Amino acid sequence: MTDLMNLIQERRSIRKYEDRPLSDQILQQLLDAVRWSPSWTNCQCWEVIVVKDAAAKEKLQASLPPKGNPASNAMVQAPVVLVMCAKAKVSGYYKNMASTKFGDWMMYDLGLATQNLCLTAHNLGLGTVVVGLFDHDKAAQAMQVPDGYELVTMIPVGYPAKVGSAPPRKETVAFTHYDKW
Ligand SMILES: Cc1cc2nc3c(=O)[nH]c(=O)nc-3n(C[C@H](O)[C@H](O)[C@H](O)COP(=O)(O)O)c2cc1C
């Protein structure tokens, strides 16, 4: 198996973190992983807010539902939360018009950047968890995200204190089609 395949298979969502800061050099590598991600017409619609301040992390945590998000503790335990935002209506757009039936492709671009980030973090011995279930408007207000931009996901990053087992995956035959559906 290639190193890349190992990284892909062994990356897990991490929801428990050590009390240990991240160096600026490591943070820079994570941001570089975002930087080199592909995007629609290379529009690079992503904006990343690096949150280290404890009070700010608590505000973000408060945007999660009171129960039912297993990443809640991770929001304050991890030394850094990377808040993934995007400029709206540029990805998938040409002359202010959506080019395809899917409209805004910012979620797609952010998804690619996020996986680059999470795999790079894993390669550096760090853990991440993508957090998508929360009140996006509340979190955006706490982060003072300007109009025309959306706060999409939040990613706690840090040294893993506990790595869970891999949730099962469908076999490839369950989703692969040849020559037609
Ligand atoms: C877009 C997206 C949103 C997610 N939102 C949450 C979340 O709000 N809370 C959480 O604990 N995990 C969240 N996850 C993590 C998934 O539950 C996890 O990736 C999945 O169960 C597979 O586990 P693995 O990442 O360890 O392989 C999210 C993942 C993605 C890709």
Side-chain angles (χ1 to χ4, degrees), residues 65-88:
K67 281 187 186 160
N69 195 324
S72 181
N73 285 342
M75 290 294 301
V76 291
Q77 218 177 52
V80 172
V81 176
L82 296 176
V83 179
M84 306 298 287
C85 306
K87 187 173 170 120

Side-chain angles (χ1 to χ4, degrees), residues 11-13 15 69-71 129-133 167 169:
R11 179 214 52 81
R12 290 280 69 74
S13 292
R15 298 180 178 88
N69 195 324
V129 56
V130 178
V131 180
L133 177 65
R169 279 359 193 218

Side-chain angles (χ1 to χ4, degrees), residues 45-135:
C45 62
W46 42 73
E47 302 278 340
V48 183
I49 307 173
V50 179
V51 179
K52 296 183 189 174
D53 178 66
K57 284 191 273 177
E58 275 174 28
K59 273 192 188 170
L60 292 177
Q61 184 192 37
S63 70
L64 271 63
K67 281 187 186 160
N69 195 324
S72 181
N73 285 342
M75 290 294 301
V76 291
Q77 218 177 52
V80 172
V81 176
L82 296 176
V83 179
M84 306 298 287
C85 306
K87 187 173 170 120
K89 297 191 175 176
V90 287
S91 183
Y93 280 70
Y94 181 67
K95 293 188 176 169
N96 289 325
M97 294 276 289
S99 306
T100 72
K101 72 170 192 171
F102 295 119
D104 202 323
W105 283 69
M106 69 176 170
M107 305 293 273
Y108 202 95
D109 290 352
L110 274 195
L112 291 166
T114 295
Q115 181 68 341
N116 275 2
L117 190 161
C118 293
L119 287 178
T120 301
H122 179 51
N123 194 36
L124 294 167
L126 300 166
T128 55
V129 56
V130 178
V131 180
L133 177 65
F134 59 95
D135 180 334

Side-chain angles (χ1 to χ4, degrees), residues 14-19 77 158-163:
I14 301 298
R15 298 180 178 88
K16 286 193 189 332
Y17 291 91
E18 288 179 7
D19 184 13
Q77 218 177 52
Y159 292 94
K162 184 181 165 211
V163 182

